[in-house]
Amino acid sequence: MNTAWSIEFIRIFSLILSTLLLGAVSGYWLFSVVLHSGLYIGWNLYQLKTFERWIRKGAPKNSAPDTTGVWQLTVQHIYRSQKSNKDRKKQLTKVATHYHAIMSALPDATIILSKNREIEWSNKRAEKLLGIDSQKDIGQRFDNIIRDVELNKLFSSDEEESVLEMTSPIDSQTRLSVFRKHYGDDKTLLVVSDISQRLAVQKLRKAFIANASHELRTPLTVISGYLEILETEEELPPAIGKVIKSASQQALRMEQILNDLLVLSKLEESRYSVSSGEVINVAMLLNRLVADFKVTHNATGNDFELTVDSTLNLKVIERDFYSLCQNLLSNAIKYSKEKSTIKICWSLSDDGQACLAITDFGEGIAREHLSRLTERFYRVHIERSQKVVGTGLGLSIVKHILDNFGGYLDVQSEQGKGSTFTACFPRSRVLFSDASKKH
Ligand code: ADP
């Protein structure tokens, strides 16, 4: 038993002893019991009053009730728990101040919104990029301060995270990227970054590539022309003839690269909306493409297996779609054996997208290369690729075309067995010539 409880029991024992003694000496037993009980209750009431006053003042250490027994033990417990609460509060305040300082120092504007899009917190950068005052605008609705249709769409999106690009409401020269994420109990986090510089560098890079490709094309055509003339010269020694043939092949390759780079820079410039394009009859286009390939790639003798849903049409720009099919089909021929089968399938997927799948039974691609295939100039086997004519830009062009139309490219491949490249287009671009199939 601890000391506090021992003191309490000694106190009660002494009171009982004193009650018995007074009762026995005076003969007034009832008086003795009432007197001692009164004393005990009175003392406890006094302790309770002092204790309550101390708690009311916030339980300060310097005015803790001077008491003994269980009361002293209780005072000690309260004091200790009060102290540990204060320590924890101090620690939390320190963490919160530290966190606040970090958030304020972030190079991006950070804003926290409540369920009703009211501003709960924002940092200094939000003032610079969006004109939101981190003090005065607390509690204001974000969409009342910044009125932007696109931004409203960003808020109404059901996705947990979404990103949008917009012009700064306070500076028309500044382009912003807005990242939105829902978290916790209906809270929204907005992170806004200034991307003007990045966009300017990107624009400069694109313009440089387009200009350089354009400027190089003319002299290269002249060189190719001269090489072609020299190639037909019969009096040249065989060794020189070989060199000229090789130079001519390299010039042709350079021309292809420049052409592809120009196609890419045009695709990067394009701004396609959901409604852009014309309705094309894909079945007809694929039949024409295969017929052309049978003539132009006569030497490879491939067998083309065409499965098309002839009711399935697409709203796209025909030239771009044709270039996409051409790239995928020529790859299937290039990277598979002569006379092998190539399957072309145009169909509707289960989720309503229109997909073009081109399957070959060629060399296939190792898994580690799959994610990099659409990078510019990425070729799987550099040494072997130099023998197979190509620019390393074909799949980059395919990806750009699909991005522009809101589609995507899926690649399934197994080394030594073959590959399937599937280009899918969104439902919004799908149309049916047979009305009964409308979704
Ligand atoms: P390239 O002009 O070299 O064909 P692409 O961008 O079209 O450039 O393709 C990039 C690389 O992807 C190719 O170099 C090749 O290694 C690989 N590749 C593309 N299509 C196929 C295919 N059907 N089978 C195997 N490898 C392929």
Side-chain angles (χ1 to χ4, degrees):
M1 198 186 300
N2 71 30
T3 346
W5 279 104
S6 309
I7 292 172
E8 205 54 44
F9 282 125
I10 292 171
R11 187 178 290 140
I12 293 168
F13 183 71
S14 314
L15 266 174
I16 294 170
L17 209 69
S18 165
T19 309
L20 292 177
L21 215 69
L22 185 67
V25 171
S26 63
Y28 294 108
W29 287 99
L30 186 63
F31 169 73
S32 180
V33 169
V34 171
L35 179 72
H36 284 89
S37 309
L39 277 175
Y40 188 66
I41 292 168
W43 183 80
N44 271 315
L45 278 175
Y46 172 74
Q47 294 299 321
L48 193 62
K49 189 171 175 252
T50 329
F51 183 72
E52 186 271 333
R53 199 182 305 147
W54 179 64
I55 295 275
R56 198 173 348 115
K57 282 184 191 162
K61 186 188 178 189
N62 49 9
S63 58
D66 186 12
T67 181
T68 54
V70 176
W71 282 107
Q72 190 188 30
L73 197 64
T74 313
V75 167
Q76 276 169 6
H77 286 328
I78 298 258
Y79 176 71
R80 261 188 233 124
S81 100
Q82 190 86 346
K83 190 170 178 305
S84 95
N85 275 349
K86 270 185 192 156
D87 288 349
R88 207 174 307 139
K89 204 169 152 188
K90 231 189 242 171
Q91 195 71 24
L92 280 176
T93 315
K94 213 169 139 189
V95 172
T97 317
H98 186 61
Y99 173 73
H100 192 277
I102 293 174
M103 296 281 276
S104 302
L106 282 179
D108 295 332
T110 313
I111 302 139
I112 292 170
L113 304 179
S114 71
K115 187 183 173 189
N116 301 322
R117 298 183 198 164
E118 285 150 354
I119 300 170
E120 289 195 346
W121 187 89
S122 70
N123 64 358
K124 276 262 168 263
R125 189 80 177 137
E127 192 164 342
K128 186 120 200 286
L129 296 183
L130 299 162
I132 292 175
D133 191 310
S134 55
Q135 305 290 324
K136 283 190 214 147
D137 289 333
I138 300 290
Q140 300 274 355
R141 269 188 76 115
F142 184 80
D143 38 6
N144 279 349
I145 299 178
I146 294 158
R147 292 175 190 274
D148 188 288
V149 185
E150 290 298 314
L151 208 58
N152 267 338
K153 278 191 208 153
L154 185 82
F155 281 124
S156 23
S157 147
D158 286 337
E159 284 166 42
E160 200 189 335
E161 292 181 10
S162 42
V163 185
L164 151 102
E165 276 185 26
M166 64 178 271
T167 305
S168 163
I170 53 169
D171 176 10
S172 59
Q173 300 298 310
T174 308
R175 284 291 290 170
L176 303 175
S177 156
V178 184
F179 167 81
R180 195 256 316 116
K181 184 176 171 65
H182 293 310
Y183 76 98
D185 281 347
D186 297 322
K187 294 254 193 283
T188 304
L189 168 74
L190 290 181
V191 180
V192 184
S193 0
D194 183 350
I195 53 164
S196 322
Q197 214 172 349
R198 176 158 59 85
L199 292 181
V201 172
Q202 243 176 44
K203 207 169 153 187
L204 214 68
R205 182 182 61 83
K206 281 178 199 165
F208 173 75
I209 293 176
N211 289 339
S213 314
H214 196 75
E215 291 302 322
L216 285 171
R217 213 153 64 151
T218 319
L220 196 61
T221 315
V222 176
I223 295 170
S224 294
Y226 283 135
L227 287 170
E228 228 172 273
I229 296 169
L230 282 172
E231 254 188 292
T232 53
E233 200 58 60
E234 283 165 6
E235 282 164 27
L236 282 176
I240 303 283
K242 228 172 144 185
V243 170
I244 288 174
K245 195 168 181 216
S246 161
S248 178
Q249 276 170 354
Q250 291 306 319
L252 186 74
R253 197 169 122 72
M254 271 174 81
E255 254 182 279
Q256 281 173 346
I257 292 177
L258 291 181
N259 286 342
D260 280 357
L261 278 174
L262 278 170
V263 170
L264 263 176
S265 61
K266 280 209 183 86
L267 284 170
E268 280 177 338
E269 269 169 28
S270 318
R271 284 260 173 266
Y272 293 81
S273 69
V274 188
S275 55
S276 61
E278 68 220 273
V279 180
I280 58 166
N281 184 329
V282 178
M284 243 166 75
L285 185 142
L286 288 174
N287 275 307
R288 203 175 72 218
L289 182 76
V290 169
D292 287 351
F293 263 78
K294 275 182 183 163
V295 177
T296 51
H297 292 74
N298 198 14
T300 59
N302 292 91
D303 179 28
F304 297 96
E305 243 182 66
L306 202 58
T307 316
V308 290
D309 179 343
S310 53
T311 61
L312 188 58
N313 295 333
L314 200 61
K315 191 171 185 185
V316 283
I317 292 174
E318 184 167 344
R319 188 193 58 234
D320 291 353
F321 184 74
Y322 193 84
S323 151
L324 175 147
C325 301
Q326 227 177 5
N327 272 304
L328 292 181
L329 202 55
S330 64
N331 276 352
I333 294 171
K334 265 192 301 190
Y335 301 105
S336 55
K337 287 195 191 90
E338 283 181 11
K339 298 191 173 32
S340 64
T341 301
I342 289 164
K343 288 185 179 175
I344 303 149
C345 174
W346 172 243
S347 62
L348 194 70
S349 73
D350 291 342
D351 53 356
Q353 300 185 68
C355 296
L356 172 72
I358 298 191
T359 306
D360 65 69
F361 300 92
E363 60 192 55
I365 309 158
R367 183 183 284 266
E368 67 265 25
H369 297 290
L370 293 183
S371 61
R372 301 196 56 192
L373 290 182
T374 54
E375 283 175 22
R376 285 178 186 210
F377 299 112
Y378 191 83
R379 305 191 78 197
V380 176
H381 304 292
I382 299 292
E383 279 172 27
R384 202 194 55 73
S385 291
Q386 275 164 0
K387 288 177 204 142
V388 179
V389 185
T391 60
L393 292 168
L395 290 180
S396 220
I397 292 175
V398 168
K399 185 180 179 293
H400 260 86
I401 294 172
L402 284 165
D403 282 352
N404 284 348
F405 292 127
Y408 66 89
L409 179 71
D410 174 66
V411 187
Q412 299 293 330
S413 188
E414 206 176 320
Q415 235 179 339
K417 292 202 169 164
S419 322
T420 298
F421 284 73
T422 312
C424 287
F425 294 83
R427 293 170 70 124
S428 54
R429 292 194 170 271
V430 177
L431 287 113
F432 294 93
S433 47
D434 175 2
S436 63
K437 274 208 162 189
K438 273 185 185 153
H439 51 261

